[in-house]
Amino acid sequence: MPDYDAIVIGAGLGGLSCASLIAKNGLKTLVLEQSDIIGGCCSTFELKGYKFDVGASLVEVIRPLDTLFEMLDRKREDYIDLIPCDPIYSFITEDGRRFSYPTDIDETTKVIEQIAPEDLEGWKRFSSIGIDMINKSMDAIMLSSLNTFKDALLMGIKSPEVLRYLPTFFRTHQGVVRSYYKNPTIQASVAYQSYFAGAPPELGSGIFGFIALSEHLGIYYPRGGMIAIPQAIMRAGEEYGLELRTNAKVERILTQNRTAFGVQLEDGTEITSKIVVSNVNAQVTYLKFIRPENLPGWAIKGIASYKPSMPCPMIYVGLNTKPDLDAHHTVITGSIDAMNDVWNNYYMLGIIPKTAMSLVCWPTEADPSLAPEGHHILNFLCNAPAPYAPLGDNWDRMKDAYREEAIDLLDKHIMPGVRDHIDIVEVSTPLDFERRLLQPQGSIYGLFSDMTTLAMFRPRSKSKAIKNLYLTGSSTHLGGGVPTTIASGIVTSRYIVRDHT
Amino acid sequence: MSKVRKTAGVLLLVALLVAYMRSSESTKRYVKHLLKQVQYLPYRYFI
């Protein structure tokens, strides 16, 4: 008799969403988390009174989160307080111009009219098509399984209106952006989202060109920090008997005759279960936890063929003053060509680019309780690809120097004089992210995402190589991000409920 | 018929080659990237 019906490895959003749903469906479920805190990339840690978010910095497209709580027969509002953030982004261009996009589409139209009247028509087309596409694809794509051609065919039959947007999937990100906008500043303000999918605009799928637009449906910050989301899901799951063990590092997944039947922890403890769900990166799951000798050849070739998305270091800054910023998120953008140049001529050659392209998150704007009174937090994500193995160096060795360079960028481009107000600075390098999140090369956006690694070409939610093994999280389904990883947990739970209840 | 097909095939190939040669460096990198990935698609589909 196994110890549990299901063991879920990793308490990230995908793992917790899946675990809480299968617990609700009567499976005795245990979540194992290697860290002392839950949430993975969507988490918060405390240092000297400041609560810093590990990676994820807001929630956009809250429909999957609401759907999850509906499926748990709970009201999301009873578990999380989501604070609306408006404007959604403030942009600083390479030449120092600043402007913001409000949530409201009509208000954004006025902003575009001021900056680039020639792009007004393009923006109107982009927003009308994009919002329609996002609304129609929510159930058909985001909350449905797309693991096989059959799934795709069924989706096409059930939601034929989505098919008209299929060509977008095959175009490049920059192709989509340039087909709507002529002005380089407006192009840049939409194209930088390509890096969020871990690819430059010339390689990323055109479908990601609409991420920026999805934020006009509203962006939110959870009161208490990003960890409030996994904590809320865990709390709802616990009401159905879900169990959690932190500081429990899994060494391998136990298999016999290509069937999973439990896990072995680092300390040698074995815990058995009818099924195993991995919320850990699919490459780590197959190549480290299952191990190549237990996999068929085609599975090794398939899983090894994926590339990680780009790593990005992150700097966490505690300030003794209020920063002079306009929004929860401030983005320093470069042109589309500059983004491609950084990828091809720096990142691919192992060189850390000297660029100011970055994303600065100001969480205390929404929730001042995250810092001591009168103090603030800036989470500074260097949103340009930084090689995992910089030429002739190592991230552990260069951590201090990198921190100083990042503060210089902050000082020069975003907040002059910031050095005089810094209370505390912490850095997470790609190596730190790799150790903390088990993402190969510290790739916080998961697997590299382009049209050859999406939908049915991404690792399946239900493993075909190992029986009773299921996967969830950013390396499955639609990739990284709060809504997409929650959606992946929902999709995986449906397979498990169908197969095992 | 076979000769017509062969000629059409060769013409298509030449047209694709010309289109590739005349495309921007960025498009060439995209095409090269996709061609490199094609070999993995059958394996990725099943994993």
Side-chain angles (χ1 to χ4, degrees):
Chain A
M1 183 78 177
D3 302 317
Y4 287 89
D5 292 323
I7 289 175
V8 179
I9 309 170
L13 290 180
L16 289 176
S17 303
C18 177
S20 57
L21 287 171
I22 59 177
K24 192 227 169 195
N25 279 276
L27 296 188
K28 187 185 175 196
T29 306
L30 171 69
V31 179
L32 298 169
E33 169 56 47
Q34 66 151 359
S35 169
D36 55 350
I37 52 171
I38 62 171
C41 203
C42 181
S43 194
T44 307
F45 64 95
E46 191 166 345
L47 269 182
K48 294 187 181 171
Y50 292 91
K51 291 176 181 166
F52 297 106
D53 293 324
V54 172
S57 55
L58 56 79
V59 198
E60 63 201 357
V61 189
I62 57 172
R63 174 80 179 279
L65 186 61
D66 285 342
T67 303
L68 170 68
F69 275 89
E70 279 164 25
M71 291 171 76
L72 290 168
D73 292 333
R74 297 287 186 270
K75 280 186 186 165
R76 188 254 302 156
E77 295 85 346
D78 294 340
Y79 291 78
I80 321 173
D81 179 11
L82 292 180
I83 306 164
C85 303
D86 196 1
I88 49 178
Y89 282 100
S90 170
F91 290 93
I92 303 176
T93 60
E94 279 176 316
D95 57 5
R97 290 170 67 195
R98 292 185 180 220
F99 64 96
S100 298
Y101 282 154
T103 306
D104 186 81
I105 295 270
D106 294 334
E107 290 299 313
T108 302
T109 305
K110 290 177 192 166
V111 173
I112 297 210
E113 193 170 15
Q114 276 179 354
I115 300 168
E118 70 274 24
D119 280 338
L120 204 55
E121 277 313 304
W123 158 249
K124 284 178 182 169
R125 271 192 303 125
F126 183 67
S127 53
S128 128
I129 290 172
I131 293 291
D132 182 61
M133 184 180 85
I134 292 161
N135 285 331
K136 284 178 176 157
S137 61
M138 197 71 76
D139 285 329
I141 295 176
M142 192 177 260
L143 291 166
S144 300
S145 167
L146 278 176
N147 280 197
T148 62
F149 284 118
K150 187 181 164 192
D151 291 339
L153 190 67
L154 287 174
M155 183 272 285
I157 293 168
K158 276 196 321 201
S159 313
E161 69 278 7
V162 174
L163 296 180
R164 64 182 283 225
Y165 298 115
L166 204 59
T168 310
F169 181 81
F170 297 103
R171 298 180 70 186
T172 60
H173 192 122
Q174 68 185 25
V176 166
V177 171
R178 282 177 171 151
S179 68
Y180 290 102
Y181 303 118
K182 298 181 192 76
N183 184 293
T185 301
I186 303 293
Q187 286 179 351
S189 73
V190 184
Y192 84 95
Q193 299 261 9
S194 167
Y195 278 160
F196 286 178
E202 69 179 16
L203 299 184
S205 167
I207 206 88
F208 294 117
F210 291 95
I211 298 179
L213 202 55
S214 69
E215 289 167 350
H216 286 276
L217 297 173
I219 62 166
Y220 303 87
Y221 187 77
R223 191 174 301 283
M226 293 304 290
I227 196 170
I229 300 174
Q231 282 174 335
I233 301 171
M234 186 64 217
R235 212 162 60 244
E238 279 172 337
E239 289 166 12
Y240 291 108
L242 179 62
E243 295 176 40
L244 168 72
R245 251 186 246 180
T246 52
N247 296 310
K249 197 166 184 176
V250 170
E251 183 63 28
R252 68 187 183 104
I253 294 174
L254 302 171
T255 60
Q256 193 168 37
N257 301 325
R258 290 189 182 152
T259 303
F261 67 93
V263 298
Q264 184 188 61
L265 302 183
E266 200 177 39
D267 64 6
T269 310
E270 289 191 358
I271 311 173
T272 56
S273 59
K274 288 181 191 164
I275 62 165
V276 175
V277 183
S278 180
N279 183 204
V280 179
N281 174 285
Q283 287 184 310
V284 176
T285 299
Y286 281 112
L287 300 177
K288 182 172 184 287
F289 290 165
I290 301 283
R291 298 176 185 176
E293 60 269 28
N294 298 315
L295 288 168
W298 60 264
I300 299 169
K301 198 159 183 175
I303 198 66
S305 75
Y306 294 101
K307 299 274 180 285
S309 63
M310 63 185 209
C312 312
M314 193 150 168
I315 321 291
Y316 311 95
V317 186
L319 294 172
N320 63 14
T321 188
K322 186 179 175 186
D324 182 22
L325 298 175
D326 302 320
H328 181 80
H329 270 173
T330 299
V331 175
I332 300 186
T333 59
S335 66
I336 287 180
D337 289 339
M339 288 176 72
N340 290 329
D341 177 60
V342 161
W343 185 275
N344 293 311
N345 298 322
Y346 290 84
Y347 174 62
M348 294 300 282
L349 304 178
I351 302 167
I352 298 175
K354 302 279 182 198
T355 170
M357 278 188 255
S358 53
L359 171 71
V360 180
C361 181
W362 176 26
T364 38
E365 190 246 355
D367 183 1
S369 75
L370 298 171
E373 202 176 336
H375 290 227
H376 283 268
I377 288 172
L378 293 182
N379 295 321
F380 181 75
L381 177 72
C382 302
N383 196 33
Y388 171 71
L391 274 181
D393 219 322
N394 166 298
W395 277 108
D396 282 344
R397 262 201 311 269
M398 58 190 295
K399 194 168 180 170
D400 291 341
Y402 189 82
R403 177 178 53 215
E404 293 309 307
E405 281 179 28
I407 301 287
D408 281 347
L409 287 177
L410 201 58
D411 189 272
K412 189 176 170 192
H413 296 278
I414 296 170
M415 195 182 160
V418 69
R419 278 189 186 280
D420 299 335
H421 298 285
I422 291 177
D423 231 14
I424 182 173
V425 188
E426 183 64 28
V427 184
S428 218
T429 68
L431 269 179
D432 295 325
F433 277 129
E434 184 176 56
R435 292 167 188 141
R436 180 173 203 152
L437 304 173
L438 295 184
Q439 289 282 20
Q441 302 197 7
S443 51
I444 53 171
Y445 300 122
L447 300 178
F448 180 90
S449 291
D450 65 1
M451 60 176 278
T452 67
T453 57
L454 285 173
M456 65 277 277
F457 297 117
R458 215 165 175 81
R460 291 184 180 204
S461 311
K462 178 184 177 180
S463 175
K464 208 169 168 62
I466 301 292
K467 200 179 164 196
N468 293 343
L469 174 68
Y470 297 82
L471 290 93
T472 183
S474 65
S475 57
T476 65
H477 199 48
L478 296 178
V482 173
T484 43
T485 47
I486 291 174
S488 83
I490 293 173
V491 167
T492 304
S493 76
R494 288 200 185 115
Y495 280 104
I496 298 169
V497 170
R498 187 194 66 189
D499 295 348
H500 298 277
T501 59
Chain B
M1 189 64 186
S2 163
K3 201 175 172 185
V4 174
R5 270 190 197 164
K6 263 187 196 166
T7 312
V10 170
L11 283 176
L12 183 69
L13 218 61
V14 170
L16 285 174
L17 202 64
V18 170
Y20 176 80
M21 300 294 278
R22 293 180 65 173
S23 61
S24 66
E25 283 306 310
S26 183
T27 306
K28 281 179 187 160
R29 282 194 293 268
Y30 180 59
V31 172
K32 276 184 200 165
H33 168 76
L34 287 186
L35 290 176
K36 273 188 201 164
Q37 302 304 309
V38 166
Q39 58 176 316
Y40 301 119
L41 292 183
Y43 305 102
R44 284 182 187 167
Y45 177 74
F46 289 104
I47 195 66

